[in-house]
Amino acid sequence: MTLGADPHLEVALTGSWLDRLVARFLARFGVTAYHGTLSVFDQLVVGGSRLLTSIIVGRACGPEELGDYALGFVLFCFAVCVQTGLISLPYTLYYNYFEGDERRAYSGSMLVHLAVLGLAATATLGLVGGAFAWGYGPPELAPLVGILAITFPLVFLQEFARRFALARLEMRTVLSVDIAMAVIQVGGLAVLAALGWLSAIGAFAAMGVGAAIAGITWLVCAQRLFLIRRARLWADAKRNWRSGRWMLVSQLILATRVHSELWLVALLMDITSTGIFAACEVLVRLSTPFPIAVANILFPSAASAYAQGDTSKVRRLVRQSAAVLCAGALPFCLLFALFGAVLLTKLYGNAFAGQGVVVSLLALGVVADAVDTAASNGLFGIGRPNVHFYATALGTMITLAVSVVLIPRWGLIGAAQGRLVGRCFTSGVQWVAFFQLSNRLAPGELS
């Protein structure tokens, strides 16, 4: 599949065996295929580390501790959504409109904005953790909130590093950052489990250590790409806010759609069921590295093509991506439908047995997500994140409404059904909106 040419090829062919291998790959398949291959490997690393984390916590600590970790991970996802929506995604969109020192200055503004956001997260979570510890809330959650207050800014930096490199299509840098993070995090979890000290708090501590080492190392190596000008900080913040506000609410809605059912299961059922449902989700997410890898290339490629005024290329990229994503998701759906229950039991233990129907329904939702991924990144690429927000908000409300009705009667099966209905609705709305808007907008027009 061709997702567009890349003007920022990062490979310097200096004669090493790796560079010669890359040169032969580029000569045969092209730049975009090279980046796409690295993106797939990167998502395998990211998805694999999260899968191993949940497996280690689930097997070493049981469903209840895994449920605590899953609920904490929901807060983590919401926090990363704020960073992504306000900083990373707007940077990917506007990066193409700057050159030279202006681009470095814009990047420097993003770095300052990231530092402010990290300090705000630490202060907020520190106050909440302190209130819990003093009895204003559940005191047993104070240690978890405290470790999150330390972990969040570090993860912000690591996530910014990978998103910054993605915007520039520097896939080798993205892969290096994520491998470092995964090795340190999973290694730390294995050590804690072997010593008998593993818990949800320990899992987030290992995540923070991995993010700190990977993020700070990247920042030291990439410091030449940043130029901080105080006079630009507020102007760049206002520029990002124009599109970032919609990207932020869209990211928050997506996180709500993904994780709200965990809270519904916890409220309407119990924490053990929450852990089992979280395990089913993690298993099904084994199929997501490929869609995310395609999205990582599609969004910056579509944004670059649109900045150059080539709307027909944007539509072609989205159509081709949708076809490939759908073709890649269907075999995984069939695999989980046939062997999902067995895989779940083998990976997590007998406490998670008998969930074949839940895994199958969640797998069908992955197919809907794959088709939706192309349309949503197309909308982002043409500067229409507000439409993406409206579609995901409506889909999320449908998901929650159906789940609230079905969970008391069908349990985890009802939660999976609610998710499938909401995702199919969102996908359909976004495709209709993308084709109408991409045909109507003037080339290069940003709203």
Side-chain angles (χ1 to χ4, degrees):
M1 177 182 65
T2 301
L3 288 178
D6 171 32
H8 309 295
L9 181 58
E10 62 185 299
V11 180
L13 301 179
T14 58
S16 69
W17 68 269
L18 178 59
D19 291 330
R20 289 195 298 270
L21 179 63
V22 170
R24 286 195 293 270
F25 188 99
L26 291 172
R28 183 173 181 84
F29 299 106
V31 173
T32 303
Y34 164 72
H35 285 153
T37 302
L38 291 185
S39 185
V40 171
F41 279 121
D42 174 69
Q43 286 308 308
L44 290 174
V45 171
V46 174
S49 66
R50 291 179 178 176
L51 174 65
L52 287 174
T53 297
S54 69
I55 290 174
I56 293 171
V57 174
R59 293 191 72 91
C61 306
E64 185 172 351
E65 196 69 26
L66 180 59
D68 289 339
Y69 170 78
L71 294 178
F73 193 76
V74 170
L75 298 178
F76 160 79
C77 290
F78 275 103
V80 171
C81 282
V82 175
Q83 183 263 326
T84 303
L86 290 180
I87 299 175
S88 298
L89 292 181
Y91 178 81
T92 303
L93 181 62
Y94 291 120
Y95 163 81
N96 299 283
Y97 294 86
F98 296 99
E99 297 289 343
D101 284 345
E102 288 299 308
R103 179 175 288 179
R104 293 177 60 221
Y106 182 52
S107 301
S109 296
M110 299 306 98
L111 194 60
V112 174
H113 298 165
L114 179 74
V116 172
L117 181 62
L119 291 174
T122 297
T124 302
L125 290 172
L127 290 174
V128 173
F132 286 174
W134 283 93
Y136 298 97
E140 66 275 9
L141 292 181
L144 178 62
V145 175
I147 194 64
L148 293 179
I150 300 172
T151 300
F152 277 11
L154 301 174
V155 175
F156 285 172
L157 177 59
Q158 184 265 341
E159 181 66 19
F160 176 75
R162 67 187 308 276
R163 290 284 182 173
F164 183 89
L166 279 172
R168 302 164 62 88
L169 289 173
E170 296 175 348
M171 299 310 303
R172 290 173 71 176
T173 302
V174 178
L175 186 58
S176 299
V177 169
D178 287 337
I179 287 176
M181 169 78 173
V183 169
I184 297 169
Q185 178 180 338
V186 175
L189 290 171
V191 171
L192 291 175
L195 295 174
W197 297 345
L198 185 59
S199 64
I201 295 174
F204 284 111
M207 180 188 298
V209 172
I213 295 175
I216 293 173
T217 302
W218 167 82
L219 185 59
V220 171
C221 296
Q223 57 183 315
R224 63 181 177 81
L225 301 176
F226 300 96
L227 177 63
I228 298 176
R229 292 176 177 171
R230 291 197 301 175
R232 285 198 51 163
L233 296 178
W234 181 244
D236 287 334
K238 290 193 295 184
R239 175 184 293 107
N240 281 9
W241 179 250
R242 293 190 191 105
S243 60
R245 57 185 176 179
W246 295 108
M247 293 179 176
L248 171 60
V249 292
S250 294
Q251 291 295 302
L252 292 176
I253 288 293
L254 284 173
T256 300
R257 186 183 73 178
V258 172
H259 300 295
S260 57
E261 283 172 299
L262 284 176
W263 290 95
L264 284 180
V265 171
L267 292 172
L268 300 177
M269 298 179 70
D270 51 61
I271 193 65
T272 300
S273 299
T274 304
I276 294 173
F277 193 71
C280 294
E281 287 186 315
V282 171
L283 177 65
V284 170
R285 281 201 294 269
L286 285 172
S287 63
T288 60
F290 181 64
I292 296 175
V294 173
N296 286 341
I297 303 299
L298 174 59
F299 178 29
S301 297
S304 177
Y306 193 68
Q308 297 169 13
D310 194 348
T311 53
S312 62
K313 181 178 180 179
V314 176
R315 290 191 292 272
R316 185 173 67 254
L317 293 175
V318 172
R319 289 195 301 267
Q320 292 174 340
S321 300
V324 173
L325 286 168
C326 188
L330 288 174
F332 280 102
C333 180
L334 180 61
L335 174 66
F336 289 128
L338 295 176
F339 306 108
V342 176
L343 289 172
L344 189 68
T345 304
K346 291 291 185 182
L347 290 174
Y348 289 93
N350 293 328
F352 296 82
Q355 304 301 326
V357 177
V358 176
V359 173
S360 298
L361 290 170
L362 292 176
L364 285 173
V366 169
V367 178
D369 274 350
V371 178
D372 174 69
T373 296
S376 61
N377 280 272
L379 288 170
F380 278 179
I382 63 175
R384 293 291 185 166
N386 55 327
V387 179
H388 173 69
F389 161 71
Y390 293 132
T392 52
L394 289 173
T396 299
M397 287 188 288
I398 291 174
T399 296
L400 295 179
V402 175
S403 298
V404 167
V405 172
L406 295 183
I407 287 176
R409 181 175 181 180
W410 297 102
L412 298 183
I413 294 176
Q417 289 173 329
R419 174 167 299 186
L420 177 60
V421 171
R423 291 187 175 184
C424 289
F425 174 85
T426 303
S427 180
V429 170
Q430 290 200 111
W431 270 103
V432 172
F434 170 74
F435 277 114
Q436 288 184 345
L437 291 172
S438 62
N439 284 318
R440 186 184 310 161
L441 288 174
E445 172 191 351
L446 273 181
S447 300

